Amino acid sequence: MGSAPAGSDFLQKAGMAEPPMSCDCFVSLPPGSRDDHVIFGKNSDRPRDEVQEVVHYPAASHPPGSMLECTYIQIPQVEQTNAVVLSKPAWMWGAEMGASDKGVCIGNEAVWTREPVAPGEALLGMDLVRLGLERGDSARAALTVITSLLEQHGQGGQCREAPEPFSYHNTFLLVDRSEAWVLETAGRLWVAQKVSEGVKNISNQLTIGSEISTEHPDLRSVAKAQGWWDGEGEFNFSQVFSPENPPARMELAKQRYRGGTELLQQHDGSVTAEVMMSILRDKPSGICMDSGGFCTTGSMVSILPRDTSLPCIHFFTATPDPSRSVFKPFIFSDCPTPVPRVVSPQFGSEDPARKQPRFQSQVDRRHDLYKAHQVALNTMETNPDEGLAVYNILRDLESQCLSEIAAMLSGEIPGEELGDLFFDCVDTEIKFYQ
């Protein structure tokens, strides 16, 4: 992962001891999708040992004037929050990716820009993902939630569970049943682009050029005052705001971005949940990440039917490495069965992420499925035949599940029976590993 001295200067200025983690987000809107569905996907690439849990929070009412404790700071709570299902690093309040019962999905990506990462604690990009889902009833509304919170509270703070400084700015992919939005930020500044049809992916870099749908009111005046833009020619956000010496990992992200674009284009017009899963499992492109201290620690794929009488379906692995994990479907229902076996243990006020100074010690955050999956991965290494046999059975179950969901979405079987699917799939997976 070596980079030129200029790059390492940049890393130090950005508060990073080593090249950072990375992610990839994808969306396909008709006519890019095979069916009349919007398909969302994300691989969350994080420090190798970090545990990602999948947690459902019901819709809730909050007393006026109450405060909300995010990962590092408190902000005013709103009176009503949506039900959400989140794939989140177990140590933080926020999430890498998730969905709401309003049919909105959001994922974020780390990015570096010419705006320096402000020191001190603020909202994490992951907090903004969760806040957008809890408070926004559409992709566009969630975008407004995120940009106004960004302008009020800023973004920043330690982005991994370790004492060495490491923080970044964020880009987001926000998706609902009818459209998608790419939101790219630089400090408190932001720019957004609407995507109404076809396929789109984002990796750890700025992608919005001059095709801007909406932006922070001071964006261009700041760029001009800093001497990054002359105010004359076309305003191209990624050209104006991309760092002059990007970190090595941002350069590597270009390869993944191109690889992701190629994979999406190969399937343009025929994207399904299965196709999205195969893209997230792709090793040659680096989208299924395993490099140095980082790997894909959680993956998500969602089907958002355009027909609002049909439910949205959100698949999560809740385990690392999608090429050796299975996707399990979650469907919002009035009283979903809790799935404690993918929820990490809680440490309350003793949590090293909460005690000051933070991150001075490590705790075991592994949930039951994570532990069982670790054992299965070891079996794959030490006894490939047995390990592969179990994994192939689980992949067959995944395919069966996808077929049942396809049948339900095309009206062949009723959807009411599918509310406990996530619980059943997690349970079955753990039993197979044992």
Side-chain angles (χ1 to χ4, degrees):
M1 312 286 328
S3 57
S8 36
D9 279 1
F10 180 89
L11 289 175
Q12 268 144 14
K13 278 195 199 117
M16 295 181 292
E18 60 181 278
M21 60 196 70
S22 41
C23 299
D24 300 277
C25 285
F26 302 86
V27 67
S28 170
L29 300 109
S33 312
R34 187 191 70 192
D35 305 307
D36 198 24
H37 303 157
V38 176
I39 310 285
F40 169 84
K42 177 178 174 184
N43 269 357
S44 166
D45 305 332
R46 305 271 311 166
R48 181 174 295 284
D49 301 329
E50 186 179 81
V51 177
Q52 224 161 109
E53 58 180 351
V54 174
V55 195
H56 167 260
Y57 296 96
S61 303
H62 308 277
S66 52
M67 295 298 286
L68 170 66
E69 188 83 41
C70 298
T71 304
Y72 298 127
I73 65 166
Q74 280 194 342
I75 65 168
Q77 180 57 288
V78 290
E79 291 192 17
Q80 189 64 41
T81 49
N82 301 324
V84 294
V85 60
L86 307 171
S87 189
K88 57 186 284 296
W91 62 270
M92 66 174 67
W93 181 84
E96 278 285 295
M97 51 203 171
S100 74
D101 60 348
K102 300 290 192 254
V104 178
C105 297
I106 308 179
N108 75 315
E109 313 264 331
V111 74
W112 288 268
T113 69
R114 281 173 132 170
E115 278 287 312
V117 178
E121 295 186 338
L123 289 172
L124 290 177
M126 288 67 79
D127 293 344
L128 291 165
V129 168
R130 179 168 173 180
L131 289 161
L133 290 168
E134 287 187 346
R135 300 178 177 197
D137 290 356
S138 65
R140 182 70 182 86
L143 183 133
T144 305
V145 166
I146 291 175
T147 54
S148 53
L149 288 167
L150 190 61
E151 289 169 31
Q152 287 165 41
H153 305 285
Q155 58 180 327
Q158 181 64 347
C159 291
R160 69 169 171 198
E161 198 181 0
E164 303 78 42
F166 175 66
S167 50
Y168 46 75
H169 292 160
N170 292 269
T171 66
F172 303 86
L173 183 61
L174 306 95
V175 177
D176 61 25
R177 293 177 189 259
S178 58
E179 61 189 31
W181 286 82
V182 178
L183 168 63
E184 300 188 340
T185 73
R188 292 178 192 240
L189 300 172
W190 56 271
V191 60
Q193 182 184 61
K194 182 177 170 177
V195 183
S196 304
E197 57 175 38
V199 294
K200 173 78 183 167
N201 60 312
I202 62 170
S203 296
N204 306 85
Q205 56 194 311
L206 302 178
T207 62
I208 298 176
S210 52
E211 302 282 303
I212 294 169
S213 307
T214 174
E215 65 188 68
H216 187 289
D218 302 334
L219 181 73
R220 297 181 195 218
S221 53
V222 169
K224 212 168 148 183
Q226 294 283 8
W228 300 335
W229 179 55
D230 60 8
E232 297 296 313
E234 179 181 70
F235 181 80
N236 179 311
F237 177 72
S238 63
Q239 277 176 14
V240 172
F241 276 86
S242 288
E244 284 165 311
N245 296 306
R249 207 158 182 112
M250 221 170 141
E251 286 299 297
L252 283 171
K254 281 186 184 164
Q255 295 165 24
R256 289 200 334 278
Y257 175 64
R258 282 198 295 268
T261 302
E262 278 165 26
L263 286 165
L264 272 179
Q265 280 167 356
Q266 277 168 31
H267 297 282
D268 194 354
S270 60
V271 176
T272 58
E274 292 91 320
V275 165
M276 193 63 84
M277 289 170 191
S278 71
I279 291 174
L280 297 185
R281 286 175 165 138
D282 191 74
K283 292 265 188 194
S285 61
I287 287 163
C288 182
M289 152 84 54
D290 193 347
S291 95
F294 296 88
C295 76
T296 299
T297 55
S299 305
M300 171 182 174
V301 169
S302 292
I303 304 173
L304 312 175
R306 288 263 160 109
D307 177 350
T308 54
S309 70
L310 295 170
C312 296
I313 295 131
H314 311 287
F315 296 85
F316 296 95
T317 55
T319 53
D321 187 352
S323 74
R324 299 196 286 180
S325 291
V326 285
F327 285 90
K328 297 161 283 288
F330 177 95
I331 299 174
F332 283 97
S333 61
D334 292 341
C335 42
T337 312
V339 188
R341 306 193 80 176
V342 290
V343 178
S344 295
Q346 297 288 312
F347 299 92
S349 58
E350 288 306 295
D351 194 311
R354 292 193 182 174
K355 286 199 316 203
Q356 296 283 3
R358 300 190 202 270
F359 308 116
Q360 299 303 302
S361 60
Q362 292 283 327
V363 287
D364 185 358
R365 299 190 189 273
R366 294 174 305 161
H367 48 72
D368 290 353
L369 178 63
Y370 189 96
K371 288 178 186 169
H373 183 258
Q374 272 189 317
V375 173
L377 287 185
N378 287 338
T379 309
M380 283 187 206
E381 302 290 334
T382 53
N383 185 344
D385 292 349
E386 184 195 336
L388 209 59
V390 170
Y391 183 55
N392 286 336
I393 294 170
L394 285 166
R395 283 292 291 273
D396 286 346
L397 286 172
E398 181 189 276
S399 300
Q400 218 176 310
C401 207
L402 281 158
S403 305
E404 279 179 34
I405 282 165
M408 184 264 293
L409 291 175
S410 60
E412 291 162 41
I413 58 169
E416 291 74 65
E417 299 147 31
L418 300 178
D420 288 341
L421 255 184
F422 190 62
F423 179 90
D424 295 339
C425 292
V426 169
D427 208 47
T428 305
E429 187 178 346
I430 291 177
K431 285 193 177 112
F432 266 103
Y433 292 150
Q434 291 161 349

